[in-house]
Each structure stands twice: as C-alpha cells, then as structure tokens.
Amino acid sequence: SPVQRESVQLLRALGLILEDATAENIPDRVTQAVIDVLKVDVVALLKLQDANFGDFIVAHDSFMNRSLSPMALNLDHQPTLANAIERRAQRRILQDDNDDEIQDLYTRLDIDQVGPAYFQPLIHDREIVGLLVVAQPYTRRELYSAEAEMLKGIAVIAGGLLALSFAAVANRKMAEERAIHAMIRGVPP
C-alpha cells in the first residue's frame, strides 16, 4: 500500500542518515539521504543565523556530482522562504511566480540554471533547527505530491537528528575551551 511504501522509504532515509554518522557529518548525511530517496538535483541545508540571515552549512549538486560553496542568504530577499519559516510549513517557489526570488536563490547556490525549489523547515521541540532547500534547476520538475509528503516525513527525522548533532558539536567545543582555560590556569581539566 502507499502508506507501507512511504514507511519503508522513511526507514530507508533514517538508515541512510545514520550510516557512518558522527555529530559533525549529520548535516551532510541528511542532504545525501534526501538526494538518494527523492532523486532530486540539488539539496542544501540552511541554518538560521538570526531573523534576517541564514547560512548554507552544506549543499550538494547531485546532477553535477559536486559539493557547492554557497553564500549566506538574506531572508529579506526571500519572502517565500521567510514565510516557510514563519508558518513552519513547506513552501515552493516557481520561476513564473517568483522570478527575483528564485534568481537570488540560485545565484547564492552558484547555479546558472533555474527551476522549482522547495523550502522545508526542520523542527525539533517547536524550534526551527534548520531548513532544507530542495531544488530542481536541471530537470525543472516539480515534486509529485507523494514526494513532497516524503520530504515532510524526512524533515521530522532530520530535525531531531540535527538538533542532537548541533548540541553535541557545541558541547564538544565548550569542553575543549574549558580544558584549554584549565591548562592556562595550571589546574587539571
């Protein structure tokens, strides 16, 4: 049944994320899982800096088989993305409806072609952990409704795992800083 197929795909996505996972590589594992499960052109993970800016922490172009080095994104130039964050819901942009917005997004991703893009908030404990950007600049195909729903399901899994990952990395950095300060003061860490 469709429900069973979706459950199997979500379990597959979870397995792909957790395979060889470390706290540092969870963001990359999430983007790769989305690419593998949904067969999309580009996936990027945006971490919000503040109310106006977000940083792409990982981005991969599966069509060209390369990692991207995107720039920060000004949310003032991305009203659809800002709306996805505000409403905590998946949003889609198309070139016909949002030409300036979509051009800005693809410029930030360093991709010359444009196509539909989807913004999927990643939420954990009612807080936005990040945002998945799924883009189709090469195939220019919109996601089928089942694929859009699958993206929502993956987001539930990814939100929790990313929250744990970010917390683990932050705790490790704090522990290292405390150890350095202890060594400077001449006391055992």
Side-chain angles (χ1 to χ4, degrees):
S1 74
V3 171
Q4 289 174 324
R5 276 194 298 275
E6 183 177 347
S7 297
V8 168
Q9 288 296 338
L10 287 173
L11 284 173
R12 181 171 169 252
L14 177 60
L16 290 168
I17 294 169
L18 293 177
E19 183 180 349
D20 299 324
T22 64
E24 289 80 13
N25 75 0
I26 288 288
D28 188 54
R29 302 297 308 151
V30 167
T31 59
Q32 288 299 321
V34 172
I35 288 169
D36 289 348
V37 171
L38 295 178
K39 308 292 186 228
V40 292
D41 298 347
V42 175
V43 176
L45 182 59
L46 186 74
K47 188 172 182 184
L48 302 177
Q49 253 181 12
D50 57 37
N52 298 323
F53 285 93
D55 284 327
F56 286 104
I57 57 174
V58 65
H60 192 76
D61 183 335
S62 68
F63 194 83
M64 296 292 186
N65 195 24
R66 65 183 176 122
S67 290
L68 301 172
S69 299
M71 299 194 260
L73 195 62
N74 184 339
L75 299 182
D76 291 337
H77 299 138
Q78 294 291 328
T80 304
L81 186 138
N83 182 270
I85 293 166
E86 180 184 319
R87 294 184 184 264
R88 299 172 186 247
Q90 185 182 98
R91 293 289 183 256
R92 168 188 77 184
I93 59 173
L94 304 171
Q95 187 172 7
D96 298 340
D97 302 333
N98 313 80
D99 191 49
D100 291 341
E101 194 173 348
I102 207 162
Q103 290 293 338
D104 180 60
L105 173 68
Y106 283 108
T107 298
R108 301 289 173 205
L109 290 172
D110 194 25
I111 297 174
D112 295 333
Q113 301 181 46
V114 296
Y118 294 79
F119 302 123
Q120 177 62 58
L122 305 172
I123 299 167
H124 178 71
D125 286 341
R126 297 184 181 168
E127 295 294 321
I128 292 187
V129 177
L131 194 116
L132 278 172
V133 178
V134 175
Q136 301 276 61
Y138 307 111
T139 58
R140 294 186 178 156
R141 148 185 109 72
E142 294 180 43
L143 296 179
Y144 298 117
S145 60
E147 292 171 320
E149 289 301 313
M150 180 65 62
L151 180 58
K152 290 176 186 176
I154 293 171
V156 171
I157 295 167
L161 292 173
L162 282 167
L164 291 172
S165 169
F166 294 156
V169 169
N171 287 338
R172 182 177 297 145
K173 285 181 183 178
M174 280 195 329
E176 289 171 358
E177 287 176 15
R178 279 184 283 208
I180 290 169
H181 288 304
M183 289 171 52
I184 291 171
R185 287 184 270 144
V187 294

